[in-house]
């Protein structure tokens, strides 16, 4: 489960129309959320508050033998109108899971990019500042995030700790998203590391024709590009001080919302220098169930690894008296709820199924999605690898509290099978 500050940061990137999925760093985001989720250890308490649309604070206390905690502050120049009370936050917004790729959006149509158009807006560039102090270790983390242009974002991360070799490090990350492709340039003061990453999306370029809306552009696609997207990327980095470098390349195919079958995502990552190959496959087998598998292989040592995981959501008991409301909203033409007001349309028997689906009211579908999220009671996550390492996590909501309960089991260590058991509780106002 995401912390409150991470939830606010994601809300900021969404409000500024930044696509988090169109980058090489997010190539394996779905598999990481389903297989690499952390399990809490001990007892952790988090109290957070969104004092104003621009300022957020958070306090945490951890008890694992000794007491420690942290204090966090966040400021954003863009007022965020989001659900900030823990009882109102949809669970799917704070629990990472299957990442459904959306249609690529042209730069001219992003809602916040009007600030850079000549003669429009105020020329404002949204900024986010974040700081976190860990006590009693006096470990400090800081983040500076700023939109420099409609396609450019700058992120500066800082860490200050006496445990680090140089007392701290700074990471600069300059990202550019041009829909068809994206690039990232990074520099870290730790070992003077330089790196570059890129991702290219195959298929038509959404920037070529800006005279039609995105929905018409998506409907005009043909073949596999209409129902899925194939992407390829690579990264290259070099440490100036230690005179060592590395590289990797990756591929991803993921279905788009227009796909009629089960949504799925396949990835392949190759590190030619180390000889590692990693493949993942995730499928959303239903509205409540997601399955994922991961296979690792090294061509030099012939070592391999296998891991499987699942995510199962639990729904609250719906009121039977509300079912007729949902049916009416999804039946346009009978009551007028699913159609634009004061407009009567005759059904076209020659229209294709895709055109009928695209004619639905997006605001109604958004309202239905939010309504269904409110009926979510919790989620069960589990993973297992070939060495008998098991992780189980249950996350949900109890009254006004968000909680995460997890167990980590390792059958290879007979003397200590239970590696960790923990409970994390969050409250925000």
């Amino acid at each position: 489960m995401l912390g409150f500050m991470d939830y606010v940061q994601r809300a900021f990137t969404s409000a500024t129309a930044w696509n988090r999925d169109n980058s090489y760093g997010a190539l394996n985001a779905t598999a990481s959320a389903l297989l690499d989720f952390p399990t809490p250890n001990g007892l952790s308490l988090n109290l957070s508050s969104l004092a104003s649309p621009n300022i957020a604070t958070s306090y945490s206390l951890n008890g694992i033998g000794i007491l420690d905690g942290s204090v966090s502050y966040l400021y954003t120049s863009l007022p965020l109108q989001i659900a900030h009370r823990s009882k109102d936050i949809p669970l799917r917004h704070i629990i990472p899971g299957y990442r459904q790729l959306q249609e690529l959006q042209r730069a001219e149509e992003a809602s916040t990019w009007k600030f850079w158009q000549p003669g429009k807006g105020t020329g404002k560039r949204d900024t986010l500042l974040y700081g976190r102090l860990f006590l009693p270790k006096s470990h400090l983390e800081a983040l500076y995030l700023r939109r420099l242009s409609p396609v450019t974002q700058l992120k500066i991360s800082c860490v200050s700790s006496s445990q680090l070799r140089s007392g701290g490090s700074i990471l600069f990350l300059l990202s550019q998203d041009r829909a068809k492709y994206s690039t990232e340039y990074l520099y870290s003061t730790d070992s003077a590391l330089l790196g570059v990453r890129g991702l290219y999306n195959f298929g038509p370029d959404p920037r070529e024709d800006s005279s039609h809306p995105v929905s018409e552009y998506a409907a005009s696609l043909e073949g596999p590009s209409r129902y899925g997207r194939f992407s390829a990327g690579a990264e290259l980095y070099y440490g100036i001080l230690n005179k060592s470098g590395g590289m990797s390349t990756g591929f991803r195919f993921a279905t788009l919302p227009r796909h009629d079958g089960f949504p799925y995502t396949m990835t392949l990552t190759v590190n030619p220098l180390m000889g590692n190959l990693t493949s993942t496959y995730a499928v959303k087998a239903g509205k409540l169930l997601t399955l994922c598998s991961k296979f690792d292989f090294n061509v030099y040592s012939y070592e391999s690894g296998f891991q499987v995981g699942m995510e199962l959501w639990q729904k609250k008991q719906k009121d039977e008296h509300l079912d007729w409301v949902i049916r009416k909203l999804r039946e346009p033409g009978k009551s007028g709820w699913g159609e634009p007001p004061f407009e009567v349309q005759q059904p076209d028997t020659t229209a294709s199924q895709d055109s009928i689906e695209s004619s639905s009211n997006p605001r109604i579908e958004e309202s239905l999605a939010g309504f269904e999220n409110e009926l979510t009671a919790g989620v069960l996550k589990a993973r297992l690898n070939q060495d008998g390492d098991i992780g189980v996590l249950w996350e949900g909501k109890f009254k006004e509290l968000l909680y995460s309960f997890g167990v980590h089991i390792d059958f290879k260590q007979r003397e200590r099978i239970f590696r960790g058991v923990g409970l994390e509780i969050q409250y925000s106002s």
Side-chain angles (χ1 to χ4, degrees):
M1 181 180 293
L2 295 178
F4 184 77
M5 289 302 187
D6 295 329
Y7 166 68
V8 175
Q9 292 178 26
R10 289 199 176 188
F12 174 82
T13 57
S14 299
T16 55
W18 184 260
N19 189 357
R20 296 185 295 112
D21 297 320
N22 195 28
S23 67
Y24 185 78
L27 199 70
N28 293 316
T30 294
S32 298
L34 298 174
L35 299 177
D36 301 332
F37 57 87
T39 56
N41 190 14
L43 180 62
S44 177
L45 303 176
N46 298 274
L47 301 177
S48 308
S49 174
L50 189 65
S52 69
N54 303 86
I55 300 176
T57 58
S58 180
Y59 309 92
S60 66
L61 182 64
N62 305 316
I64 312 176
I66 59 174
L67 291 177
D68 60 358
S70 64
V71 181
S72 307
Y73 293 95
L74 183 145
Y75 168 79
T76 171
S77 61
L78 176 66
L80 300 177
Q81 304 297 333
I82 59 175
H84 56 88
R85 301 180 188 274
S86 53
K87 65 177 182 179
D88 300 330
I89 301 177
L91 291 179
R92 292 186 182 271
H93 290 183
I94 57 175
I95 300 180
Y98 186 87
R99 298 277 287 273
Q100 175 66 67
L101 295 185
Q102 303 298 322
E103 301 286 351
L104 294 175
Q105 190 178 30
R106 303 185 188 97
E108 296 82 4
E109 296 178 354
S111 59
T112 57
W113 292 352
K114 63 182 180 181
F115 296 131
W116 288 275
Q117 295 178 7
K120 298 182 180 180
T122 60
K124 177 181 178 182
R125 299 177 179 180
D126 297 316
T127 306
L128 183 143
L129 301 175
Y130 168 73
R132 184 177 185 182
L133 177 63
F134 293 85
L135 299 173
K137 299 180 180 180
S138 298
H139 179 86
L140 180 64
E141 294 180 353
L143 172 66
Y144 174 83
L145 186 63
R146 185 179 179 86
R147 291 294 298 273
L148 300 180
S149 74
V151 297
T152 308
Q153 178 177 269
L154 175 64
K155 181 179 181 180
I156 304 177
S157 305
C158 310
V159 177
S160 177
S161 176
S162 58
Q163 299 178 355
L164 297 179
R165 180 178 56 184
S166 57
S169 64
I170 303 177
L171 174 64
F172 300 87
L173 179 61
L174 182 65
S175 306
Q176 290 185 331
D177 183 6
R178 301 185 182 275
K180 181 66 174 179
Y181 65 92
S182 66
T183 55
E184 296 176 293
Y185 308 92
L186 61 90
Y187 171 77
S188 176
T189 58
D190 188 13
S191 302
L193 182 67
L194 291 172
V196 57
R197 298 186 295 195
L199 182 71
Y200 182 83
N201 299 306
F202 290 86
D205 191 344
R207 304 170 301 169
E208 292 180 354
D209 186 5
S210 60
S211 60
H212 302 287
V214 178
S215 58
E216 296 183 9
Y217 160 77
S220 64
L221 298 180
E222 297 180 356
S225 300
R226 185 174 185 176
Y227 303 104
R229 182 185 306 144
F230 180 74
S231 306
E235 68 174 348
L236 178 66
Y237 52 90
Y238 180 78
I240 300 178
L241 298 183
N242 54 20
K243 295 181 175 59
S244 63
M247 65 171 298
S248 70
T249 182
F251 309 90
R252 177 184 66 188
F253 179 83
T255 57
L256 297 175
R258 301 181 64 85
H259 179 62
D260 297 332
F262 294 115
Y264 63 90
T265 300
M266 299 183 296
T267 65
L268 174 64
T269 307
V270 181
N271 189 329
L273 299 182
M274 304 300 296
N276 292 328
L277 289 85
T278 302
S279 63
T280 67
Y281 177 75
V283 58
K284 196 171 180 62
K287 292 184 178 180
L288 305 178
L289 177 63
T290 304
L291 304 175
C292 184
S293 62
K294 178 180 179 181
F295 180 75
D296 298 308
F297 181 74
N298 189 282
V299 297
Y300 299 144
S301 63
Y302 298 103
E303 294 182 354
S304 62
F306 184 74
Q307 190 175 9
V308 294
M310 56 86 67
E311 177 185 73
L312 179 62
W313 288 85
Q314 181 186 12
K315 287 285 189 177
K316 294 181 181 178
Q317 294 295 332
K318 290 195 301 182
D319 189 353
E320 296 181 357
H321 299 287
L322 296 179
D323 291 342
W324 69 275
V325 179
I326 300 178
R327 289 196 300 267
K328 285 293 184 180
L329 287 173
R330 283 178 170 163
E331 292 180 0
K334 293 186 178 181
S335 63
W337 290 10
E339 301 278 349
F342 309 109
E343 183 177 345
V344 179
Q345 297 179 353
Q346 298 296 332
D348 185 4
T349 57
T350 62
S352 63
Q353 181 66 25
D354 295 328
S355 62
I356 294 176
E357 293 177 357
S358 61
S359 63
S360 60
N361 194 327
R363 291 185 298 177
I364 292 180
E365 293 299 328
E366 182 179 355
S367 300
L368 287 174
F371 177 75
E372 292 178 352
N373 286 334
E374 291 297 329
L375 298 177
T376 303
V379 59
L380 174 65
K381 290 186 176 183
R383 64 169 182 263
L384 170 68
N385 62 11
Q386 80 282 355
D387 296 327
D389 189 276
I390 301 176
V392 180
L393 181 66
W394 171 257
E395 297 177 312
K397 185 182 299 184
F398 177 75
K399 294 186 182 298
E400 297 187 0
L401 300 178
L402 301 172
Y403 66 89
S404 299
F405 177 76
V407 180
H408 186 192
I409 303 175
D410 189 0
F411 285 102
K412 291 189 65 176
Q413 297 186 2
R414 300 295 182 180
E415 298 179 355
R416 187 186 176 187
I417 296 180
F418 289 93
R419 297 284 301 274
V421 178
L423 175 64
E424 181 182 357
I425 300 177
Q426 298 187 40
Y427 173 80
S428 59
S429 60

